[in-house]
């Protein structure tokens, strides 16, 4: 049963320390409520005693202990938790006291059989004079007898199995191993966890002595293994910045300073505490597929897991910290979270708090916000695709490059305040780089009229602009899609007379390029270039198609619209040729070159570049006679 429940053999120490912590909590509660108990509660602690020579490890406490009947009932019966029983008893009288207890399932004791060939438990309940010894090899039977001289509390001695690296059975008599495990799993347990260090080497006397000058053996030092400092349980006024920084480095294994510290204390239906950090520097594996969450989960200060993905979405994977819940739906081994409304409620609260903190940094600390965005902006924007509930808040807390400045980025709220009179949409263009976008012919009319355009060059930008659609009621419009109708002189707009005049050219190009474009039309979006390609309002951009194909999702090639600048010399010359039907022969190559130039001008890729190269060579040869 034990081997099917636990995936990590080190868990046994966490479980035994948790049980010992419960026993100390119970004694403290009993000592406060029963003045006649006669138990000493002045130095409550947990002790580890490794013995390498005997190959044993003893975990003991001076807590409440158990009577003989309780040993039979609790230890001799699988999955019956004394903590759960006490919690139910206390819940009606003292909710705060019951919430301090850790145990839930009652199987933690049996995790010892993953690493021990035999387990011996000696216990005496506070207020009683006779103790109990329980022993088993885990074969389904146990022996039990009375002990007259048992100390108050519980002592569990494990006859350890041989070290087996293949099956991850460590040397649990190694003090270094024990220190590491306590640091990982039980560092924040409220009670001190002690262990006698190895006795130091005898020291030579510093002054001459009469008689025997044999150095006295030094006494081993009693050391406390856990810090007991659960910073998340304290208010921010009680903790220094240096303590927060040290704790951040402890949980993140990083060396930078936290950019921001977030402390949460939630009470009510779901009680939990959280201490989260926004780092200053992005980790090297931020965009690696196997990147894990930075949230460490504790339940009543007991470490459960260091990769609690269920509590933080992937786009906030850079957040580091700790969540300590009063009670969570774990599986029986306390290793896996169950999906329930409590977890979802905690996740929602954490996400909203992180986003609002980013917004606050943006509003009040522009330099820190710039640091944040340079390191985590690309990951943060993933939430625009994956978190529809918070998309507007994420958009509000984000910033983007635009034609307004070559060096500074802008937030959308600031963009809206700068919109020209009559402008009621936010213009944007996506591409593989800022340089590519700025060179695109799609921006020519916008640049000429001084209309600001967002320049979106991150891969995730290709996806979210099609799903979010608007910001605070203002529509987001691509300059490379649909028909552009900029405010200005009527002379800039294409009228029916122009369409009729250029009809021969439009019809001819439409026929010649039928395999490449969906249609051909005149446009007012161009001032310098002869032609450009645009998509329908809801079509995919070439860059988005490329992203899907790179991820293994086949996407059919979509035809786009070829737009022509009626004021360009090349277009008017082509019109002359197209209008004279006898001169159309041989112009298909010119049509192909017009299309190819439009693809290249926007930074696209030609499907048959070799064919285009041959056409260019032929045209150059002809022009040079």
């Amino acid at each position: 049963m034990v081997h099917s429940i636990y995936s990590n053999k080190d868990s046994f120490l966490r479980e035994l320390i948790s049980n010992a912590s419960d026993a100390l909590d119970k004694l403290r509660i009993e000592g406060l409520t029963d003045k006649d108990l006669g138990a000493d509660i002045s130095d409550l602690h947990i002790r580890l005693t490794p013995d390498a020579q005997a190959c044993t490890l003893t975990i003991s406490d001076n807590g409440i202990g158990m009577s003989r009947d309780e040993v039979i009932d609790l230890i001799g019966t699988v999955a019956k938790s004394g903590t759960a029983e006490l919690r139910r008893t206390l819940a009606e009288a003292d909710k705060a006291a019951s919430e301090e207890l850790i145990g839930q399932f009652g199987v933690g004791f049996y995790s010892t059989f993953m690493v021990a060939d035999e387990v011996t438990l000696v216990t005496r309940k506070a207020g009683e004079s006779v103790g109990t010894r329980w022993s088993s090899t885990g074969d389904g039977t146990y022996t039990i007898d009375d002990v007259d001289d048992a100390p108050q509390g519980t002592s569990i001695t494990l006859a350890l199995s041989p070290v087996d690296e293949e099956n991850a059975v460590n040397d649990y008599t190694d003090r270094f191993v024990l220190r590491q495990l306590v640091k990982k799993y039980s560092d924040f347990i409220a009670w001190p966890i002690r262990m006698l260090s190895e006795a130091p080497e005898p020291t030579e006397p510093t002054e001459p002595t009469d008689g025997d000058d044999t150095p006295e053996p030094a006494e081993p030092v009693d050391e406390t293994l856990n810090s007991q400092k659960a910073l998340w349980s304290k208010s921010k006024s009680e903790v220094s910045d240096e303590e927060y920084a040290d704790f951040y480095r402890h949980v993140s294994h990083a060396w930078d300073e936290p950019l921001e510290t977030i402390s949460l204390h939630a009470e009510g239906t779901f009680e939990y505490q959280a201490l989260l950090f926004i780092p200053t520097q992005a980790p090297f594996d931020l965009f690696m597929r196997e990147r894990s969450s930075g949230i460490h989960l504790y339940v009543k200060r007991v470490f459960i897991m260091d990769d609690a993905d269920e509590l933080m979405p992937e786009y906030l994977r850079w957040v580091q910290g700790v969540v300590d819940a009063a009670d969570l739906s774990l599986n029986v081994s306390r290793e896996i979270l169950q999906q329930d409304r409590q977890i979802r409620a905690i996740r929602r609260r954490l996400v909203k708090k992180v986003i609002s903190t980013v917004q606050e940094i943006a509003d009040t600390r522009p330099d820190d916000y710039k640091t944040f965005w340079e390191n985590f902006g690309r990951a943060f924007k993933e939430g625009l695709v994956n978190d529809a509930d918070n998309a507007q808040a994420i958009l509000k807390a984000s910033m983007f490059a635009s034609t307004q400045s070559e060096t500074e980025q802008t937030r959308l709220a600031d963009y809206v305040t700068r919109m020209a009179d009559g402008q009621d949409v936010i213009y944007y263009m996506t591409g593989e780089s800022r340089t590519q976008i700025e060179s695109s012919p799609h921006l020519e009319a916008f640049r000429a009229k001084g209309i600001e355009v967002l320049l979106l060059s991150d891969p995730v930008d290709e996806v979210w602009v099609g799903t979010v659609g608007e910001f605070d009621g203002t529509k987001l419009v691509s300059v490379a899609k649909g028909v552009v109708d900029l405010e200005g002189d009527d002379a800039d707009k294409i009228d029916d007379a122009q369409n009729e005049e250029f009809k021969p050219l439009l019809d001819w190009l439409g026929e010649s390029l039928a395999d490449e474009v969906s249609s051909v039309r005149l446009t007012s979006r161009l001032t310098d270039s002869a032609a450009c390609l645009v998509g329908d309002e809801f079509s995919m951009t070439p860059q988005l198609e490329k992203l899907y194909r790179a991820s293994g999702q086949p996407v059919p090639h979509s035809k786009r619209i070829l737009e022509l600048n009626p004021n360009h010399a090349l277009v008017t010359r082509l019109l002359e040729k197209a209008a004279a039907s006898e001169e159309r022969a041989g112009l298909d190559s010119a049509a192909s070159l017009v299309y190819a130039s439009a693809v290249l001008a926007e930074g696209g890729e030609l499907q048959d570049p070799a064919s285009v190269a041959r056409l260019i060579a032929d045209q150059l040869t002809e022009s040079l006679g």
Side-chain angles (χ1 to χ4, degrees):
M1 182 203 71
V2 169
H3 287 280
S4 66
I5 290 176
Y6 292 94
S7 61
N8 185 351
K9 292 180 173 58
D10 293 342
S11 300
F12 85 93
L13 190 60
R14 174 192 68 186
E15 297 295 333
L16 294 188
I17 290 176
S18 296
N19 290 344
S21 177
D22 279 351
L24 297 172
D25 285 332
K26 292 172 186 177
L27 179 62
R28 182 176 59 84
I29 294 171
E30 288 285 336
L32 294 175
T33 57
D34 184 359
K35 300 300 182 183
D36 299 325
L37 185 63
D40 182 7
I41 61 174
S42 62
D43 184 28
L44 300 180
H45 64 274
I46 302 165
R47 181 173 293 280
L48 307 184
T49 307
D51 187 334
Q53 188 171 6
C55 198
T56 62
L57 173 64
T58 301
I59 298 92
S60 58
D61 65 77
N62 56 349
I64 190 67
M66 290 179 282
S67 66
R68 181 187 178 98
D69 290 342
E70 286 174 333
V71 171
I72 296 172
D73 190 32
L74 300 177
I75 303 300
T77 304
V78 174
K80 184 164 185 179
S81 174
T83 302
E85 295 288 340
L86 180 61
R87 179 185 290 143
R88 280 191 287 271
T89 303
L90 288 175
E92 298 178 359
D94 187 351
K95 186 172 187 293
S98 68
E99 288 303 317
E100 292 181 0
L101 306 181
I102 301 167
Q104 181 174 352
F105 296 104
V107 299
F109 173 80
Y110 299 99
S111 65
T112 55
F113 290 103
M114 293 189 297
V115 300
D117 296 328
E118 183 177 11
V119 178
T120 301
L121 176 147
V122 177
T123 183
R124 179 171 66 84
K125 189 168 185 176
E128 296 186 359
S129 58
V130 178
T132 303
R133 177 186 290 108
W134 179 99
S135 181
S136 176
T137 59
D139 59 357
T141 64
Y142 62 87
T143 60
I144 189 167
D145 53 78
D146 294 339
V147 179
D148 292 331
D149 57 350
Q152 174 195 299
T154 301
S155 174
I156 300 172
T157 299
L158 312 180
L160 296 168
S161 304
V163 175
D164 185 348
E165 294 183 3
E166 182 176 349
N167 293 309
V169 179
N170 296 309
D171 181 4
Y172 296 110
T173 65
D174 187 325
R175 284 172 166 78
F176 176 78
V177 171
L178 295 175
R179 290 187 189 97
Q180 294 297 106
L181 292 180
V182 170
K183 192 71 175 176
K184 177 178 181 180
Y185 289 107
S186 307
D187 193 42
F188 307 110
I189 290 289
W191 305 106
I193 303 170
R194 298 172 182 166
M195 179 176 67
L196 285 177
S197 64
E198 292 181 295
E201 293 294 326
T203 57
E204 295 293 337
T206 56
E207 297 180 1
T209 58
D210 296 332
D212 186 10
D213 60 355
T214 302
E216 291 292 329
E219 293 294 327
V221 179
D222 200 352
E223 62 176 314
T224 299
L225 306 181
N226 60 324
S227 70
Q228 303 172 247
K229 294 181 179 180
L231 297 187
W232 59 82
S233 65
K234 301 180 180 181
S235 65
K236 294 189 77 170
S237 61
E238 298 177 297
V239 185
S240 67
D241 291 341
E242 184 178 354
E243 287 178 306
Y244 276 139
D246 288 342
F247 184 76
Y248 160 72
R249 297 187 190 100
H250 170 70
V251 298
S252 67
H253 306 293
W255 296 101
D256 59 320
E257 296 285 331
L259 188 70
E260 182 61 43
T261 300
I262 303 171
S263 181
L264 275 174
H265 295 260
E267 298 180 352
T269 306
F270 304 133
E271 295 189 6
Y272 63 91
Q273 298 167 328
L275 183 58
L276 308 178
F277 300 94
I278 297 177
T280 301
Q281 298 177 358
F284 72 93
D285 59 348
L286 181 62
F287 292 99
M288 292 184 180
R289 185 182 297 274
E290 63 275 11
R291 166 76 180 172
S292 60
S293 167
I295 302 301
H296 298 241
L297 176 64
Y298 288 74
V299 173
K300 306 289 196 316
R301 297 191 181 190
V302 176
F303 176 81
I304 302 299
M305 65 179 68
D306 58 6
D307 187 16
D309 291 330
E310 293 88 347
L311 293 175
M312 194 66 68
E314 187 176 0
Y315 72 92
L316 299 181
R317 58 189 175 275
W318 37 269
V319 177
Q320 302 288 327
V322 168
V323 174
D324 188 358
D327 195 10
L328 276 182
S329 296
L330 306 171
N331 70 348
V332 71
S333 67
R334 294 202 276 195
E335 292 176 332
I336 303 173
L337 289 176
Q338 307 294 320
Q339 289 293 338
D340 68 1
R341 63 192 186 97
Q342 182 174 356
I343 293 169
R344 291 193 294 271
I346 294 175
R347 175 184 171 119
R348 283 195 299 269
R349 175 79 186 278
L350 295 179
V351 169
K352 289 185 180 299
K353 183 62 177 178
V354 171
I355 295 174
S356 66
T357 301
V358 172
Q359 176 70 51
E360 182 181 351
I361 295 173
D363 292 339
T364 60
R365 294 149 51 194
D367 290 340
D368 286 344
Y369 177 66
K370 185 176 181 180
T371 298
F372 162 80
W373 194 257
E374 289 173 350
N375 283 275
F376 306 109
R378 285 177 57 198
F380 188 60
K381 286 190 292 183
E382 293 173 13
L384 296 170
V385 179
N386 303 323
D387 190 353
D389 292 339
N390 294 297
Q392 287 298 314
I394 296 171
L395 204 56
K396 187 177 182 180
S398 299
M399 68 176 178
F400 309 92
S402 83
T403 55
Q404 170 71 14
S405 171
E406 294 184 359
T407 57
E408 299 296 327
Q409 294 185 306
T410 184
R411 294 164 64 191
L412 294 189
D414 296 330
Y415 177 103
V416 171
T417 63
R418 294 192 297 266
M419 290 197 310
D421 293 340
Q423 181 182 344
D424 57 359
V425 298
I426 297 172
Y427 290 108
Y428 71 88
M429 185 173 177
T430 60
E432 294 185 357
S433 68
R434 175 171 184 146
T435 301
Q436 180 206 76
I437 299 172
E438 288 184 315
S439 301
S440 171
H442 297 95
L443 294 180
E444 291 177 359
F446 294 88
R447 188 178 289 111
K449 294 181 178 294
I451 297 176
E452 184 176 359
V453 179
L454 300 180
L455 309 176
L456 309 180
S457 57
D458 289 331
V460 70
D461 294 331
E462 292 285 354
V463 183
W464 73 259
V465 290
T467 58
V468 176
E470 66 172 35
F471 166 69
D472 201 18
T474 305
K475 188 177 180 180
L476 294 160
V477 174
S478 171
V479 302
K481 291 183 180 181
V483 178
V484 170
D485 185 15
L486 300 178
E487 294 293 327
D489 298 335
D490 291 338
D492 293 336
K493 298 180 180 179
I494 304 300
D495 55 26
D496 293 340
Q498 280 181 301
N499 282 322
E500 185 63 29
E501 177 188 358
F502 281 83
K503 188 175 187 304
L505 174 60
L506 302 179
D507 290 344
W508 165 61
L509 287 177
E511 294 172 6
S512 181
L513 300 173
D515 293 338
E516 284 80 21
V517 302
S518 59
S519 63
V520 184
R521 68 189 182 200
L522 301 179
T523 184
S524 61
R525 83 173 77 223
L526 300 174
T527 59
D528 301 320
S529 301
C532 69
L533 290 165
V534 300
D536 293 325
E537 185 176 356
F538 300 105
S539 65
M540 284 189 185
T541 64
Q543 291 83 5
L544 184 56
E545 290 182 7
K546 185 177 178 180
L547 283 175
Y548 276 117
R549 294 191 187 101
S551 65
Q553 302 182 50
V555 177
H557 179 72
S558 58
K559 296 180 181 180
R560 294 195 292 159
I561 302 164
L562 179 65
E563 290 192 345
L564 303 177
N565 177 4
N567 301 316
H568 196 280
L570 173 60
V571 176
T572 56
R573 182 61 178 144
L574 286 173
L575 174 61
E576 294 173 6
K577 294 288 187 181
S581 57
E582 68 277 3
E583 295 191 29
R584 288 190 185 180
L587 283 182
D588 285 345
S589 60
S592 297
L593 289 176
V594 170
Y595 171 76
S597 66
V599 172
L600 294 174
E602 66 179 12
E605 296 179 355
L606 297 171
Q607 291 186 324
D608 188 2
S611 176
V612 173
R614 285 193 295 271
L615 288 175
I616 293 174
D618 291 343
Q619 291 293 319
L620 285 173
T621 301
E622 182 178 345
S623 66
L624 293 173

